[in-house]
Amino acid sequence: MEQKKITIFDVAKRAGVSKGTVDRVLHNRGEVSKKSADKVREAIKDLNYEPNMYASLLATKKNREIACLIPKFKAGEYWSKIYDGIVAGKEYAETFNVEIAYFFYDQYDPDSFVEASQKLLKSNPSGVIIPPLFRQLTSDFVMELKERDIPYVYVDTKLEEGSYLAYFGMPMYKSGYLCANLLTARRKESEVKEILIVRILRDKSSLSDPTIARRSGFIDYIDTYFPECVVYSLFINPQDKESINKTLGDFYKKHPGIKNIVMFNSRVYLIADFLKQHPDADRCVIGYDNLDANMSALRQGVVSALLSQHTEFQSRNAVIALTDYVVVKKQPQNRDCYMHTDILTALNMENY
């Protein structure tokens, strides 16, 4: 038979006191005689009572705020999915009187990040959600959060430091290692002599490098299994689409035989036009994330495969975990909450 749930009324009856007395003992509120308090604690122990802290905190109507420090975005971009996940988690947060605040910055401008992070600190939030695009600036920022005892959760990627409450995202190094395996698994050794990594030209000071761990995993795999392979890096400007074809064209004039291409960010679609204009049936192109534009390139056969995840789940789960912590100090089940990595091809993409 199902065991009866013990309530505060059962504790009061066992202790021979009022419900109000039990409530004051549970929350350290008001004066209670030592004799009555001891009776309540004994009754709680005997009955194995677990107080509903969520309900108690709801009754206090105390408001808290989770601040989200994320890049500005346009519809259809990767960060729009992160934003959608935050919105999805917002309903859960609001159930416990936790509000969501957004602080946006330009992902190509370190000064914009600093300005947004300082504005966030002035708001004195209960917790923070952040993707560490600018690694050193993020390190400085989270040090300030630590000093103020403000918990924070990483999404997308993380810094390898000891103070974050949780991380929600791919295992970045392993995803790069997997990418290298996927790129080369069906290739003969003679077909893996050269690889092109196409990278995004970000801020002028090169402070932003969010795919560094993914790239490290990739390079380690190639160094292990294809030590003679030459790996090239080519930077393209995502804000100047007309220059992308020229940049790729100039590179291919010097290195016409390259058939293995990878992009570690979410924007492999940026090179799709060039690849369509210069078809090669033997070429293998791997990208990341199921953005509509990427999926279109995959469907057309321009991209061979995408390593993906349900991106919005990262930020949704981050909101839920941080809400639980700021409300009742509930620790996440795992500190590193790795999202599963899906391999999408033209054969299995339609139902994703």
Side-chain angles (χ1 to χ4, degrees), residues 89-225:
K90 183 178 178 182
E91 182 177 353
Y92 179 86
E94 290 179 340
T95 303
F96 303 105
N97 303 320
V98 176
E99 299 176 351
I100 304 295
Y102 303 96
F103 296 83
F104 296 103
Y105 62 91
D106 183 344
Q107 63 176 300
Y108 305 106
D109 183 358
D111 292 336
S112 174
F113 175 89
V114 172
E115 182 180 352
S117 63
Q118 291 303 309
K119 187 176 180 181
L120 182 154
L121 289 170
K122 289 180 181 178
S123 73
N124 194 32
S126 303
V128 174
I129 293 174
I130 178 174
L133 266 69
F134 296 101
R135 300 180 70 82
Q136 185 55 55
L137 294 179
T138 299
S139 181
D140 296 339
F141 173 65
V142 299
M143 183 65 70
E144 182 69 25
L145 294 178
K146 182 180 178 181
E147 290 177 1
R148 298 188 185 199
D149 199 27
I150 298 174
Y152 58 95
V153 172
Y154 287 130
V155 294
D156 180 59
T157 186
K158 64 175 179 172
L159 299 185
E160 295 297 341
E161 47 85 20
S163 302
Y164 62 93
L165 177 69
Y167 163 61
F168 291 89
M170 277 187 182
M172 295 293 279
Y173 179 91
K174 287 184 178 179
S175 75
Y177 204 84
L178 172 61
C179 178
N181 175 269
L182 188 61
L183 185 71
T184 61
R186 297 184 179 181
R187 297 284 199 183
K188 298 176 183 178
E189 188 172 351
S190 60
E191 297 174 324
V192 192
K193 294 297 185 183
E194 295 178 306
I195 293 174
L196 171 61
I197 297 176
V198 181
R199 298 176 59 183
I200 294 296
L201 187 64
R202 294 182 179 273
D203 62 288
K204 294 180 180 178
S205 303
S206 300
L207 297 177
S208 176
D209 191 2
T211 62
I212 184 171
R214 188 174 282 166
R215 198 164 63 249
S216 295
F218 182 92
I219 295 298
D220 283 353
Y221 183 97
I222 297 300
D223 285 347
T224 300
Y225 296 101

